[in-house]
Every structure is written in structure tokens, then in C-alpha cells.
Short mmCIF file of all heavy atoms in Angstrom, two decimals:
data_model
loop_
_atom_site.label_atom_id
_atom_site.label_comp_id
_atom_site.label_asym_id
_atom_site.label_seq_id
_atom_site.Cartn_x
_atom_site.Cartn_y
_atom_site.Cartn_z
N PHE D 1 -19.93 54.69 26.56
CA PHE D 1 -19.41 53.37 26.84
C PHE D 1 -18.63 53.42 28.14
O PHE D 1 -18.32 54.49 28.65
CB PHE D 1 -18.58 52.85 25.66
CG PHE D 1 -17.48 53.75 25.21
CD1 PHE D 1 -16.22 53.65 25.78
CD2 PHE D 1 -17.68 54.69 24.22
CE1 PHE D 1 -15.19 54.47 25.36
CE2 PHE D 1 -16.66 55.52 23.80
CZ PHE D 1 -15.41 55.41 24.37
N TRP D 2 -18.28 52.26 28.65
CA TRP D 2 -17.70 52.17 29.99
C TRP D 2 -16.25 51.70 29.93
O TRP D 2 -15.93 50.57 30.27
CB TRP D 2 -18.52 51.22 30.85
CG TRP D 2 -19.92 51.71 31.01
CD1 TRP D 2 -21.02 51.33 30.31
CD2 TRP D 2 -20.37 52.70 31.92
NE1 TRP D 2 -22.13 51.99 30.71
CE2 TRP D 2 -21.75 52.87 31.72
CE3 TRP D 2 -19.76 53.49 32.88
CZ2 TRP D 2 -22.53 53.76 32.43
CZ3 TRP D 2 -20.53 54.37 33.60
CH2 TRP D 2 -21.88 54.51 33.37
N LEU D 3 -15.37 52.58 29.51
CA LEU D 3 -13.94 52.29 29.51
C LEU D 3 -13.22 53.41 30.24
O LEU D 3 -13.65 54.56 30.22
CB LEU D 3 -13.39 52.22 28.07
CG LEU D 3 -13.89 51.10 27.17
CD1 LEU D 3 -13.34 51.28 25.76
CD2 LEU D 3 -13.49 49.75 27.71
N SER D 4 -12.12 53.07 30.85
CA SER D 4 -11.30 54.11 31.47
C SER D 4 -10.54 54.84 30.36
O SER D 4 -10.39 54.32 29.24
CB SER D 4 -10.31 53.50 32.46
OG SER D 4 -9.33 52.74 31.76
N LEU D 5 -10.04 56.02 30.66
CA LEU D 5 -9.27 56.75 29.65
C LEU D 5 -8.02 55.99 29.23
O LEU D 5 -7.62 56.04 28.06
CB LEU D 5 -8.90 58.15 30.16
CG LEU D 5 -10.00 59.18 30.07
CD1 LEU D 5 -9.54 60.50 30.66
CD2 LEU D 5 -10.48 59.37 28.65
N SER D 6 -7.40 55.26 30.14
CA SER D 6 -6.21 54.48 29.76
C SER D 6 -6.59 53.37 28.79
O SER D 6 -5.84 53.05 27.87
CB SER D 6 -5.50 53.92 30.98
OG SER D 6 -6.35 53.08 31.72
N GLU D 7 -7.80 52.80 28.94
CA GLU D 7 -8.26 51.77 28.00
C GLU D 7 -8.59 52.40 26.64
O GLU D 7 -8.28 51.83 25.60
CB GLU D 7 -9.48 51.05 28.56
CG GLU D 7 -9.15 50.18 29.76
CD GLU D 7 -10.39 49.65 30.45
OE1 GLU D 7 -11.36 50.40 30.63
OE2 GLU D 7 -10.38 48.46 30.79
N VAL D 8 -9.21 53.56 26.66
CA VAL D 8 -9.51 54.27 25.41
C VAL D 8 -8.21 54.63 24.69
O VAL D 8 -8.09 54.46 23.48
CB VAL D 8 -10.35 55.53 25.68
CG1 VAL D 8 -10.49 56.38 24.42
CG2 VAL D 8 -11.72 55.15 26.22
N GLU D 9 -7.23 55.09 25.44
CA GLU D 9 -5.95 55.49 24.86
C GLU D 9 -5.30 54.32 24.10
O GLU D 9 -4.73 54.51 23.03
CB GLU D 9 -5.01 56.00 25.94
CG GLU D 9 -3.71 56.56 25.39
CD GLU D 9 -2.88 57.23 26.46
OE1 GLU D 9 -3.18 57.09 27.66
OE2 GLU D 9 -1.92 57.92 26.09
N ARG D 10 -5.42 53.13 24.63
CA ARG D 10 -4.85 51.96 23.94
C ARG D 10 -5.55 51.67 22.61
O ARG D 10 -4.97 51.09 21.71
CB ARG D 10 -4.92 50.73 24.84
CG ARG D 10 -3.87 50.74 25.93
CD ARG D 10 -3.78 49.39 26.61
NE ARG D 10 -4.95 49.09 27.45
CZ ARG D 10 -5.07 49.43 28.72
NH1 ARG D 10 -4.10 50.08 29.32
NH2 ARG D 10 -6.15 49.12 29.40
N LEU D 11 -6.81 52.09 22.48
CA LEU D 11 -7.57 51.87 21.26
C LEU D 11 -7.32 52.93 20.19
O LEU D 11 -7.55 52.69 19.01
CB LEU D 11 -9.07 51.82 21.57
CG LEU D 11 -9.52 50.72 22.51
CD1 LEU D 11 -11.01 50.90 22.85
CD2 LEU D 11 -9.27 49.35 21.90
N LEU D 12 -6.86 54.11 20.61
CA LEU D 12 -6.63 55.21 19.67
C LEU D 12 -5.32 55.03 18.92
O LEU D 12 -4.32 54.64 19.52
CB LEU D 12 -6.60 56.55 20.42
CG LEU D 12 -7.87 56.98 21.12
CD1 LEU D 12 -7.61 58.23 21.96
CD2 LEU D 12 -8.97 57.23 20.12
N PRO D 13 -5.29 55.35 17.63
CA PRO D 13 -4.02 55.30 16.90
C PRO D 13 -3.05 56.34 17.46
O PRO D 13 -3.36 57.53 17.47
CB PRO D 13 -4.40 55.63 15.46
CG PRO D 13 -5.89 55.66 15.40
CD PRO D 13 -6.41 55.72 16.79
N ALA D 14 -1.90 55.90 17.94
CA ALA D 14 -0.94 56.80 18.60
C ALA D 14 -0.42 57.89 17.67
O ALA D 14 -0.04 58.96 18.13
CB ALA D 14 0.22 55.99 19.17
N ASP D 15 -0.41 57.64 16.37
CA ASP D 15 0.09 58.64 15.44
C ASP D 15 -0.96 59.68 15.07
O ASP D 15 -0.67 60.64 14.38
CB ASP D 15 0.63 57.98 14.17
CG ASP D 15 -0.45 57.24 13.38
OD1 ASP D 15 -1.43 56.77 13.99
OD2 ASP D 15 -0.28 57.13 12.15
N ARG D 16 -2.20 59.53 15.57
CA ARG D 16 -3.26 60.48 15.23
C ARG D 16 -3.84 61.20 16.44
O ARG D 16 -4.55 62.18 16.28
CB ARG D 16 -4.40 59.75 14.52
CG ARG D 16 -3.92 59.08 13.26
CD ARG D 16 -4.70 59.32 12.01
NE ARG D 16 -5.44 60.53 11.89
CZ ARG D 16 -6.67 60.59 11.43
NH1 ARG D 16 -7.31 59.51 11.07
NH2 ARG D 16 -7.28 61.75 11.30
N PHE D 17 -3.58 60.70 17.64
CA PHE D 17 -4.16 61.30 18.84
C PHE D 17 -3.07 61.59 19.86
O PHE D 17 -2.12 60.84 20.00
CB PHE D 17 -5.22 60.39 19.45
CG PHE D 17 -6.47 60.33 18.64
CD1 PHE D 17 -6.61 59.43 17.61
CD2 PHE D 17 -7.52 61.20 18.90
CE1 PHE D 17 -7.75 59.38 16.83
CE2 PHE D 17 -8.67 61.16 18.13
CZ PHE D 17 -8.79 60.25 17.10
N CYS D 18 -3.24 62.68 20.57
CA CYS D 18 -2.26 63.11 21.56
C CYS D 18 -2.99 63.41 22.87
O CYS D 18 -3.96 64.17 22.89
CB CYS D 18 -1.56 64.38 21.06
SG CYS D 18 -0.51 65.19 22.27
N ARG D 19 -2.49 62.83 23.95
CA ARG D 19 -3.01 63.19 25.27
C ARG D 19 -2.29 64.46 25.68
O ARG D 19 -1.06 64.51 25.74
CB ARG D 19 -2.74 62.09 26.28
CG ARG D 19 -3.32 62.42 27.63
CD ARG D 19 -3.14 61.30 28.60
NE ARG D 19 -3.82 61.62 29.84
CZ ARG D 19 -3.76 60.89 30.92
NH1 ARG D 19 -3.06 59.78 30.92
NH2 ARG D 19 -4.41 61.26 32.01
N CYS D 20 -3.04 65.50 25.97
CA CYS D 20 -2.43 66.78 26.29
C CYS D 20 -2.81 67.30 27.68
O CYS D 20 -2.25 68.30 28.14
CB CYS D 20 -2.77 67.82 25.23
SG CYS D 20 -4.54 68.12 25.05
N HIS D 21 -3.73 66.64 28.33
CA HIS D 21 -4.16 67.04 29.67
C HIS D 21 -4.82 65.83 30.31
O HIS D 21 -5.07 64.83 29.64
CB HIS D 21 -5.14 68.21 29.58
CG HIS D 21 -5.17 69.06 30.82
ND1 HIS D 21 -5.87 68.71 31.93
CD2 HIS D 21 -4.58 70.25 31.09
CE1 HIS D 21 -5.72 69.65 32.86
NE2 HIS D 21 -4.93 70.60 32.37
N ASN D 22 -5.13 65.91 31.57
CA ASN D 22 -5.67 64.78 32.32
C ASN D 22 -6.84 64.11 31.61
O ASN D 22 -6.91 62.90 31.54
CB ASN D 22 -6.08 65.23 33.72
CG ASN D 22 -6.38 64.08 34.63
OD1 ASN D 22 -5.83 62.99 34.48
ND2 ASN D 22 -7.27 64.29 35.58
N SER D 23 -7.77 64.89 31.08
CA SER D 23 -8.96 64.31 30.45
C SER D 23 -9.12 64.73 29.00
O SER D 23 -10.22 64.68 28.45
CB SER D 23 -10.22 64.74 31.22
OG SER D 23 -10.17 64.23 32.53
N TYR D 24 -8.03 65.15 28.36
CA TYR D 24 -8.11 65.64 26.99
C TYR D 24 -7.19 64.86 26.07
O TYR D 24 -6.01 64.68 26.35
CB TYR D 24 -7.69 67.11 26.90
CG TYR D 24 -8.66 68.08 27.51
CD1 TYR D 24 -8.60 68.39 28.85
CD2 TYR D 24 -9.63 68.70 26.72
CE1 TYR D 24 -9.48 69.31 29.41
CE2 TYR D 24 -10.50 69.61 27.27
CZ TYR D 24 -10.43 69.91 28.61
OH TYR D 24 -11.29 70.81 29.15
N TYR D 25 -7.75 64.43 24.96
CA TYR D 25 -7.00 63.87 23.84
C TYR D 25 -7.39 64.69 22.62
O TYR D 25 -8.56 65.06 22.49
CB TYR D 25 -7.36 62.41 23.59
CG TYR D 25 -6.89 61.48 24.67
CD1 TYR D 25 -7.63 61.34 25.84
CD2 TYR D 25 -5.72 60.77 24.54
CE1 TYR D 25 -7.19 60.50 26.85
CE2 TYR D 25 -5.28 59.92 25.55
CZ TYR D 25 -6.02 59.80 26.70
OH TYR D 25 -5.60 58.96 27.70
N VAL D 26 -6.45 64.99 21.76
CA VAL D 26 -6.77 65.73 20.54
C VAL D 26 -6.38 64.91 19.32
O VAL D 26 -5.39 64.18 19.34
CB VAL D 26 -6.09 67.11 20.48
CG1 VAL D 26 -6.59 68.02 21.57
CG2 VAL D 26 -4.58 66.99 20.54
N ASN D 27 -7.19 65.04 18.28
CA ASN D 27 -6.88 64.45 16.99
C ASN D 27 -5.89 65.40 16.33
O ASN D 27 -6.20 66.58 16.10
CB ASN D 27 -8.15 64.32 16.16
CG ASN D 27 -7.92 63.67 14.82
OD1 ASN D 27 -6.82 63.70 14.27
ND2 ASN D 27 -8.97 63.09 14.29
N THR D 28 -4.69 64.93 16.01
CA THR D 28 -3.66 65.81 15.48
C THR D 28 -4.06 66.41 14.13
O THR D 28 -3.56 67.47 13.76
CB THR D 28 -2.30 65.07 15.35
OG1 THR D 28 -2.46 63.93 14.52
CG2 THR D 28 -1.80 64.64 16.72
N ALA D 29 -4.97 65.78 13.40
CA ALA D 29 -5.43 66.34 12.14
C ALA D 29 -6.26 67.60 12.35
O ALA D 29 -6.47 68.36 11.41
CB ALA D 29 -6.23 65.30 11.37
N CYS D 30 -6.73 67.83 13.56
CA CYS D 30 -7.56 68.99 13.87
C CYS D 30 -6.78 70.16 14.44
O CYS D 30 -7.36 71.22 14.70
CB CYS D 30 -8.66 68.59 14.85
SG CYS D 30 -9.80 67.38 14.17
N LEU D 31 -5.47 70.01 14.64
CA LEU D 31 -4.67 71.06 15.24
C LEU D 31 -4.38 72.18 14.25
O LEU D 31 -4.03 71.93 13.10
CB LEU D 31 -3.34 70.50 15.76
CG LEU D 31 -3.44 69.47 16.87
CD1 LEU D 31 -2.05 68.93 17.20
CD2 LEU D 31 -4.11 70.06 18.10
N ALA D 32 -4.53 73.41 14.72
CA ALA D 32 -4.21 74.58 13.90
C ALA D 32 -2.97 75.29 14.43
O ALA D 32 -2.17 75.79 13.64
CB ALA D 32 -5.39 75.55 13.88
N ALA D 33 -2.81 75.33 15.76
CA ALA D 33 -1.68 76.06 16.35
C ALA D 33 -1.43 75.54 17.76
O ALA D 33 -2.27 74.89 18.36
CB ALA D 33 -1.97 77.56 16.40
N MET D 34 -0.24 75.88 18.25
CA MET D 34 0.10 75.56 19.64
C MET D 34 0.64 76.84 20.27
O MET D 34 1.54 77.48 19.73
CB MET D 34 1.15 74.46 19.71
CG MET D 34 1.51 74.07 21.10
SD MET D 34 2.71 72.71 21.10
CE MET D 34 2.87 72.47 22.85
N LEU D 35 0.05 77.21 21.39
CA LEU D 35 0.49 78.34 22.18
C LEU D 35 0.98 77.82 23.52
O LEU D 35 0.70 76.67 23.86
CB LEU D 35 -0.67 79.32 22.39
CG LEU D 35 -1.28 79.93 21.12
CD1 LEU D 35 -2.51 80.75 21.48
CD2 LEU D 35 -0.27 80.76 20.37
N PRO D 36 1.67 78.63 24.29
CA PRO D 36 2.08 78.14 25.62
C PRO D 36 0.85 77.72 26.44
O PRO D 36 -0.06 78.51 26.65
CB PRO D 36 2.76 79.36 26.25
CG PRO D 36 3.25 80.15 25.08
CD PRO D 36 2.20 79.96 24.01
N GLY D 37 0.79 76.46 26.78
CA GLY D 37 -0.28 75.95 27.63
C GLY D 37 -1.56 75.56 26.93
O GLY D 37 -2.52 75.17 27.59
N GLU D 38 -1.60 75.65 25.58
CA GLU D 38 -2.84 75.25 24.90
C GLU D 38 -2.62 74.96 23.42
O GLU D 38 -1.72 75.48 22.78
CB GLU D 38 -3.93 76.30 25.06
CG GLU D 38 -3.63 77.60 24.36
CD GLU D 38 -4.71 78.65 24.60
OE1 GLU D 38 -5.75 78.35 25.23
OE2 GLU D 38 -4.53 79.78 24.13
N PHE D 39 -3.49 74.08 22.91
CA PHE D 39 -3.62 73.86 21.48
C PHE D 39 -4.79 74.69 21.00
O PHE D 39 -5.77 74.88 21.72
CB PHE D 39 -3.96 72.39 21.16
CG PHE D 39 -2.81 71.44 21.19
CD1 PHE D 39 -2.88 70.27 21.92
CD2 PHE D 39 -1.65 71.67 20.45
CE1 PHE D 39 -1.84 69.35 21.92
CE2 PHE D 39 -0.60 70.78 20.45
CZ PHE D 39 -0.69 69.61 21.19
N ILE D 40 -4.72 75.15 19.76
CA ILE D 40 -5.85 75.78 19.10
C ILE D 40 -6.26 74.82 17.98
O ILE D 40 -5.44 74.44 17.15
CB ILE D 40 -5.50 77.15 18.50
CG1 ILE D 40 -4.82 78.06 19.54
CG2 ILE D 40 -6.74 77.81 17.89
CD1 ILE D 40 -5.66 78.39 20.73
N LEU D 41 -7.52 74.43 17.99
CA LEU D 41 -8.03 73.54 16.95
C LEU D 41 -8.47 74.35 15.74
O LEU D 41 -8.72 75.55 15.84
CB LEU D 41 -9.20 72.72 17.48
CG LEU D 41 -8.94 71.85 18.71
CD1 LEU D 41 -10.18 71.02 19.03
CD2 LEU D 41 -7.74 70.97 18.53
N LYS D 42 -8.60 73.69 14.61
CA LYS D 42 -9.08 74.35 13.39
C LYS D 42 -10.46 74.95 13.60
O LYS D 42 -10.82 75.93 12.96
CB LYS D 42 -9.10 73.36 12.23
CG LYS D 42 -7.70 72.97 11.77
CD LYS D 42 -7.76 71.94 10.66
CE LYS D 42 -6.36 71.52 10.25
NZ LYS D 42 -6.38 70.47 9.22
N SER D 43 -11.24 74.39 14.51
CA SER D 43 -12.57 74.91 14.82
C SER D 43 -12.52 76.19 15.64
O SER D 43 -13.53 76.85 15.83
CB SER D 43 -13.36 73.86 15.61
OG SER D 43 -12.80 73.69 16.90
N GLY D 44 -11.33 76.51 16.16
CA GLY D 44 -11.17 77.69 17.02
C GLY D 44 -11.20 77.36 18.50
O GLY D 44 -10.95 78.24 19.33
N ALA D 45 -11.48 76.13 18.85
CA ALA D 45 -11.52 75.72 20.26
C ALA D 45 -10.12 75.74 20.86
O ALA D 45 -9.14 75.45 20.17
CB ALA D 45 -12.12 74.32 20.38
N HIS D 46 -10.03 76.10 22.12
CA HIS D 46 -8.78 76.12 22.87
C HIS D 46 -8.77 74.91 23.79
O HIS D 46 -9.68 74.74 24.60
CB HIS D 46 -8.66 77.40 23.70
CG HIS D 46 -8.53 78.62 22.86
ND1 HIS D 46 -7.45 79.45 22.95
CD2 HIS D 46 -9.34 79.16 21.90
CE1 HIS D 46 -7.59 80.44 22.10
NE2 HIS D 46 -8.74 80.28 21.44
N ILE D 47 -7.73 74.08 23.68
CA ILE D 47 -7.62 72.87 24.48
C ILE D 47 -6.39 73.00 25.38
O ILE D 47 -5.29 73.23 24.89
CB ILE D 47 -7.48 71.61 23.58
CG1 ILE D 47 -8.63 71.54 22.57
CG2 ILE D 47 -7.37 70.35 24.43
CD1 ILE D 47 -10.01 71.39 23.19
N PRO D 48 -6.55 72.85 26.69
CA PRO D 48 -5.42 73.03 27.59
C PRO D 48 -4.36 71.93 27.45
O PRO D 48 -4.67 70.80 27.09
CB PRO D 48 -6.05 72.98 28.99
CG PRO D 48 -7.29 72.17 28.81
CD PRO D 48 -7.78 72.46 27.41
N ILE D 49 -3.13 72.32 27.71
CA ILE D 49 -2.00 71.39 27.76
C ILE D 49 -1.42 71.47 29.16
O ILE D 49 -1.05 72.56 29.62
CB ILE D 49 -0.91 71.75 26.73
CG1 ILE D 49 -1.47 71.72 25.31
CG2 ILE D 49 0.29 70.82 26.87
CD1 ILE D 49 -0.51 72.27 24.25
N SER D 50 -1.36 70.35 29.86
CA SER D 50 -0.81 70.36 31.21
C SER D 50 0.71 70.50 31.16
O SER D 50 1.34 70.15 30.16
CB SER D 50 -1.19 69.08 31.96
OG SER D 50 -0.49 67.98 31.42
N ARG D 51 1.27 71.02 32.22
CA ARG D 51 2.73 71.16 32.27
C ARG D 51 3.43 69.81 32.18
O ARG D 51 4.45 69.68 31.53
CB ARG D 51 3.15 71.89 33.55
CG ARG D 51 2.87 73.37 33.46
CD ARG D 51 3.41 74.08 34.65
NE ARG D 51 2.52 73.82 35.78
CZ ARG D 51 2.57 74.42 36.93
NH1 ARG D 51 3.51 75.32 37.17
NH2 ARG D 51 1.72 74.14 37.89
N SER D 52 2.84 68.79 32.79
CA SER D 52 3.48 67.48 32.78
C SER D 52 3.45 66.82 31.40
O SER D 52 4.27 65.95 31.12
CB SER D 52 2.84 66.56 33.82
OG SER D 52 1.49 66.33 33.51
N LEU D 53 2.52 67.21 30.55
CA LEU D 53 2.42 66.63 29.21
C LEU D 53 2.87 67.59 28.11
O LEU D 53 2.76 67.28 26.93
CB LEU D 53 0.98 66.17 28.94
CG LEU D 53 0.51 64.99 29.79
CD1 LEU D 53 -0.99 64.79 29.66
CD2 LEU D 53 1.26 63.73 29.41
N SER D 54 3.40 68.76 28.48
CA SER D 54 3.75 69.77 27.48
C SER D 54 4.86 69.31 26.54
O SER D 54 4.81 69.60 25.34
CB SER D 54 4.12 71.09 28.14
OG SER D 54 5.26 70.95 28.94
N ARG D 55 5.85 68.60 27.04
CA ARG D 55 6.92 68.12 26.17
C ARG D 55 6.37 67.14 25.13
O ARG D 55 6.67 67.24 23.93
CB ARG D 55 8.04 67.46 26.97
CG ARG D 55 9.10 66.83 26.08
CD ARG D 55 10.19 66.22 26.88
NE ARG D 55 11.32 67.12 26.76
CZ ARG D 55 12.46 66.96 27.36
NH1 ARG D 55 12.63 65.95 28.17
NH2 ARG D 55 13.43 67.79 27.17
N HIS D 56 5.56 66.20 25.58
CA HIS D 56 4.95 65.23 24.66
C HIS D 56 4.05 65.96 23.65
O HIS D 56 4.07 65.64 22.45
CB HIS D 56 4.14 64.20 25.45
CG HIS D 56 3.30 63.32 24.61
ND1 HIS D 56 3.83 62.37 23.76
CD2 HIS D 56 1.95 63.25 24.45
CE1 HIS D 56 2.84 61.75 23.14
NE2 HIS D 56 1.70 62.27 23.54
N ALA D 57 3.27 66.93 24.11
CA ALA D 57 2.38 67.67 23.22
C ALA D 57 3.19 68.43 22.17
O ALA D 57 2.82 68.43 20.99
CB ALA D 57 1.51 68.63 24.03
N LYS D 58 4.28 69.06 22.58
CA LYS D 58 5.11 69.81 21.63
C LYS D 58 5.71 68.87 20.59
O LYS D 58 5.70 69.17 19.39
CB LYS D 58 6.21 70.56 22.37
CG LYS D 58 7.05 71.41 21.45
CD LYS D 58 8.08 72.20 22.24
CE LYS D 58 8.90 73.08 21.30
NZ LYS D 58 9.86 73.90 22.05
N GLU D 59 6.24 67.74 21.02
CA GLU D 59 6.81 66.77 20.08
C GLU D 59 5.75 66.26 19.11
O GLU D 59 6.00 66.14 17.91
CB GLU D 59 7.44 65.60 20.84
CG GLU D 59 8.69 65.99 21.59
CD GLU D 59 9.18 64.90 22.54
OE1 GLU D 59 8.51 63.84 22.66
OE2 GLU D 59 10.22 65.12 23.17
N THR D 60 4.56 65.99 19.62
CA THR D 60 3.47 65.53 18.76
C THR D 60 3.09 66.61 17.76
O THR D 60 2.90 66.33 16.58
CB THR D 60 2.24 65.14 19.60
OG1 THR D 60 2.62 64.09 20.50
CG2 THR D 60 1.09 64.68 18.73
N PHE D 61 2.99 67.85 18.22
CA PHE D 61 2.63 68.96 17.35
C PHE D 61 3.67 69.13 16.23
O PHE D 61 3.31 69.27 15.07
CB PHE D 61 2.51 70.25 18.15
CG PHE D 61 2.14 71.45 17.32
CD1 PHE D 61 0.84 71.62 16.89
CD2 PHE D 61 3.09 72.39 16.96
CE1 PHE D 61 0.49 72.72 16.12
CE2 PHE D 61 2.75 73.49 16.21
CZ PHE D 61 1.45 73.66 15.78
N LEU D 62 4.94 69.09 16.59
CA LEU D 62 6.00 69.25 15.58
C LEU D 62 6.01 68.10 14.60
O LEU D 62 6.22 68.28 13.40
CB LEU D 62 7.34 69.41 16.26
CG LEU D 62 7.51 70.68 17.09
CD1 LEU D 62 8.84 70.67 17.84
CD2 LEU D 62 7.39 71.92 16.22
N PHE D 63 5.78 66.89 15.08
CA PHE D 63 5.77 65.70 14.22
C PHE D 63 4.56 65.71 13.29
O PHE D 63 4.64 65.31 12.14
CB PHE D 63 5.77 64.43 15.07
CG PHE D 63 5.74 63.18 14.25
CD1 PHE D 63 6.86 62.74 13.57
CD2 PHE D 63 4.57 62.43 14.18
CE1 PHE D 63 6.84 61.58 12.82
CE2 PHE D 63 4.54 61.26 13.42
CZ PHE D 63 5.67 60.85 12.74
N ALA D 64 3.41 66.18 13.79
CA ALA D 64 2.17 66.18 13.01
C ALA D 64 2.12 67.33 12.02
O ALA D 64 1.27 67.33 11.14
CB ALA D 64 0.97 66.26 13.96
N GLY D 65 3.01 68.28 12.11
CA GLY D 65 2.99 69.48 11.30
C GLY D 65 2.73 69.31 9.82
O GLY D 65 1.87 70.00 9.26
N PRO D 66 3.39 68.39 9.12
CA PRO D 66 3.18 68.28 7.67
C PRO D 66 1.76 67.94 7.26
O PRO D 66 1.37 68.16 6.13
CB PRO D 66 4.14 67.18 7.26
CG PRO D 66 5.19 67.17 8.32
CD PRO D 66 4.47 67.57 9.58
N ARG D 67 0.94 67.43 8.17
CA ARG D 67 -0.44 67.07 7.81
C ARG D 67 -1.39 68.25 7.91
O ARG D 67 -2.54 68.16 7.57
CB ARG D 67 -0.93 65.94 8.71
CG ARG D 67 -0.21 64.65 8.42
CD ARG D 67 -0.89 63.53 9.08
NE ARG D 67 -1.04 63.83 10.50
CZ ARG D 67 -1.37 62.94 11.40
NH1 ARG D 67 -1.59 61.71 11.05
NH2 ARG D 67 -1.51 63.27 12.67
N PHE D 68 -0.94 69.38 8.46
CA PHE D 68 -1.82 70.53 8.63
C PHE D 68 -2.26 71.07 7.28
O PHE D 68 -1.56 70.96 6.29
CB PHE D 68 -1.13 71.64 9.42
CG PHE D 68 -0.84 71.29 10.85
CD1 PHE D 68 0.16 71.92 11.53
CD2 PHE D 68 -1.56 70.32 11.51
CE1 PHE D 68 0.43 71.61 12.85
CE2 PHE D 68 -1.29 69.98 12.83
CZ PHE D 68 -0.30 70.65 13.49
N GLY D 69 -3.41 71.70 7.30
CA GLY D 69 -3.92 72.34 6.11
C GLY D 69 -4.81 71.44 5.28
O GLY D 69 -5.43 71.87 4.32
N GLY D 70 -4.91 70.16 5.68
CA GLY D 70 -5.69 69.22 4.89
C GLY D 70 -7.08 69.03 5.35
O GLY D 70 -7.63 69.53 6.20
#
């Protein structure tokens, strides 16, 4: 489809998705771990976290924590 990432971001539920890099959004239900500079998904994929979004990513990860394991 033909939407900009900022338009897509407005459509995503803010409590379920986190922008962690210029072109990356992650579903918080899929997060397994957070390392310096990256998220690890339950699938094993490594997703980069930019320095400018690291604080937001960390806050999102800590807030989403109780949903892990499901």
C-alpha cells in the first residue's frame, strides 16, 4: 500500500507497537529480550535500535514486560 511510515504509525495501536529505528516498528508482543542497540524477537530475529530512539525503546520494553511469555 502507499502510505508513509508516519501515516502507518498513526494507524498502529501505540500500546502494541514501538518504533525503534528509522524504518523499523516492532510488535511488543513479539519481544523476547533487549540488548544494547537491539531487540531480540521471540523468533530469534535481531532488530536494531537507533541511539535516538533507545530511550523510547527501553521504556516501551519495560512497560510491555508483563505481556511476555504469552
Side-chain angles (χ1 to χ4, degrees):
F1 54 89
W2 299 97
L3 295 175
S4 69
L5 281 178
S6 60
E7 291 171 317
V8 171
E9 186 172 12
R10 285 192 289 272
L11 299 174
L12 297 172
D15 64 332
R16 301 229 27 224
F17 288 87
C18 171
R19 182 176 185 186
C20 60
H21 206 280
N22 192 29
S23 297
Y24 289 87
Y25 291 82
V26 295
N27 182 335
T28 58
C30 296
L31 297 176
M34 182 178 181
L35 300 174
E38 66 183 355
F39 280 129
I40 309 298
L41 302 185
K42 290 177 182 177
S43 68
H46 294 239
I47 306 297
I49 300 171
S50 71
R51 284 186 284 190
S52 63
L53 293 169
S54 63
R55 174 179 255 178
H56 171 69
K58 183 176 181 178
E59 290 170 358
T60 301
F61 180 77
L62 294 174
F63 179 75
R67 291 192 307 193
F68 293 156

